[in-house]
Amino acid sequence: MFDSGVGGLSVLRAIRRQLPSASLRYVADSAHAPYGEKSVDFIRDRAERIAAHLVGQGATVIVVACNTATAVAIDELRRRWPACSIVGVEPGVRPAVAASRNRHVGVMATDATLRSERFRALVARESDGCTMHLQACSGLAAAIEQRDLKDPVLADLVRRYASALREAGVDAVALGCTHYTFVSAAIEQSLGAGIRIIDTASAVAAQVARVCQAKEGAGAEPGCRLETTGDPLRLAQFAARWLDFDLEIAAAPVSL
Ligand code: DGL
């Protein structure tokens, strides 16, 4: 699995709940976060390097635990590694539409996700006539990556983006970036009562479980190892707060 940083740990946590004895390897590309404000070529290049690294370690299932990398790079990854199952993460437009009563649906995501063709196609396919309010949350993933979750700068960003959606009158919001899960309580508070938040981590984990069952007999050692291109200490602190199982943490190879 990989993400631009710590965001995908929300997906890792959900996968671990459903597959407690899976062999999990996670790369946090924190030295290159945020992806959401980078070019498509840059994100594709990072996704391909990291996928090659994971395949080199024996991965047969790759989870792109990042909406942004899924939006711009998953087709490329599937073309390059046809023998691997590659599972992506997309904003939960369909469940948000299903949860909405007033037919005004919000999506919080990175700029790169909202601009992507893949996301536009998802909205065209799943919005079912609802008015979609697309909120690019510039700086939010970077703040979650770098700051304390109680930091006032982070709280301000959450308030700003959530109030814009509240004022637009949405009653359901899809969290379209895996980092945002870690501030979902603050988002919920800023949105106010009566607005449903949709996070797809458990649905993705269920899909990963189905894919892994179909590949039974892979026989890898159970356990969880995290690597980061950034600061292993920062990743360790984050993991200690959010993950309640044993894991190994290491620096990713410098060549990555
Ligand atoms: N966690 C990522 C996502 O789901 C990327 C955020 C970023 O690096 O900008 O979109």
Side-chain angles (χ1 to χ4, degrees), residues 19 60-61 83-87 205-219:
L19 294 170
T60 55
V61 178
C84 275
S85 300
I86 303 189
V87 179
Q207 171 64 6
V208 172
R210 279 191 290 274
V211 166
C212 288
Q213 266 145 24
K215 283 193 184 260
E216 68 186 277

Side-chain angles (χ1 to χ4, degrees):
M1 313 178 48
F2 71 94
D3 177 44
S4 63
V6 295
L9 294 181
S10 55
V11 181
L12 174 82
R13 186 174 58 179
I15 291 176
R16 172 74 188 207
R17 277 185 198 136
Q18 296 199 29
L19 294 170
S21 55
S23 171
L24 300 172
R25 297 284 176 274
Y26 179 98
V27 175
D29 196 15
S30 298
H32 302 97
Y35 282 178
E37 289 148 44
K38 304 278 194 317
S39 71
V40 166
D41 285 349
F42 180 90
I43 302 164
R44 281 196 186 137
D45 179 59
R46 292 309 303 158
E48 286 193 21
R49 278 166 187 261
I50 295 168
H53 173 65
L54 292 168
V55 170
Q57 292 184 10
T60 55
V61 178
I62 294 181
V63 183
V64 184
C66 173
N67 292 262
T68 310
T70 300
V72 304
I74 199 165
D75 292 339
E76 236 19 77
L77 298 180
R78 287 184 172 142
R79 253 194 298 277
R80 187 146 167 209
W81 287 283
C84 275
S85 300
I86 303 189
V87 179
V89 177
E90 287 185 321
V93 172
R94 188 204 292 233
V97 162
S100 173
R101 297 216 184 87
N102 72 6
R103 320 273 299 150
H104 283 269
V105 172
V107 179
M108 297 174 77
T110 67
D111 232 29
T113 297
L114 297 181
R115 269 189 280 112
S116 68
E117 266 173 49
R118 197 179 177 88
F119 177 73
R120 283 173 204 216
L122 176 73
V123 168
R125 210 170 51 240
E126 305 290 358
S127 59
D128 190 30
C130 286
T131 304
M132 302 297 298
H133 302 268
L134 309 181
Q135 181 62 54
C137 300
S138 305
L140 185 53
I144 294 165
E145 194 64 34
Q146 289 152 13
R147 294 176 184 271
D148 187 273
L149 294 181
K150 296 247 173 327
D151 188 296
V153 171
L154 181 45
D156 270 2
L157 286 170
V158 167
R159 256 195 305 274
R160 187 188 325 154
Y161 297 134
S163 334
L165 288 173
R166 191 185 58 233
E167 280 154 26
V170 304
D171 69 351
V173 174
L175 293 189
C177 169
T178 52
H179 279 74
Y180 303 166
T181 303
F182 295 111
V183 291
S184 63
I187 293 174
E188 202 165 351
Q189 203 181 7
S190 292
L191 284 171
I195 302 182
R196 285 275 310 276
I197 292 192
I198 310 293
D199 189 339
T200 53
S202 307
V204 172
Q207 171 64 6
V208 172
R210 279 191 290 274
V211 166
C212 288
Q213 266 145 24
K215 283 193 184 260
E216 68 186 277
E221 283 278 300
C224 181
R225 178 181 160 90
L226 315 184
E227 290 183 337
T228 178
T229 56
D231 177 8
L233 201 64
R234 166 85 183 137
L235 180 61
Q237 284 162 347
F238 205 92
R241 165 142 191 223
W242 294 100
L243 306 176
D244 60 356
F245 47 87
D246 288 339
L247 40 83
E248 234 182 283
I249 296 188
V254 273
S255 54
L256 191 65

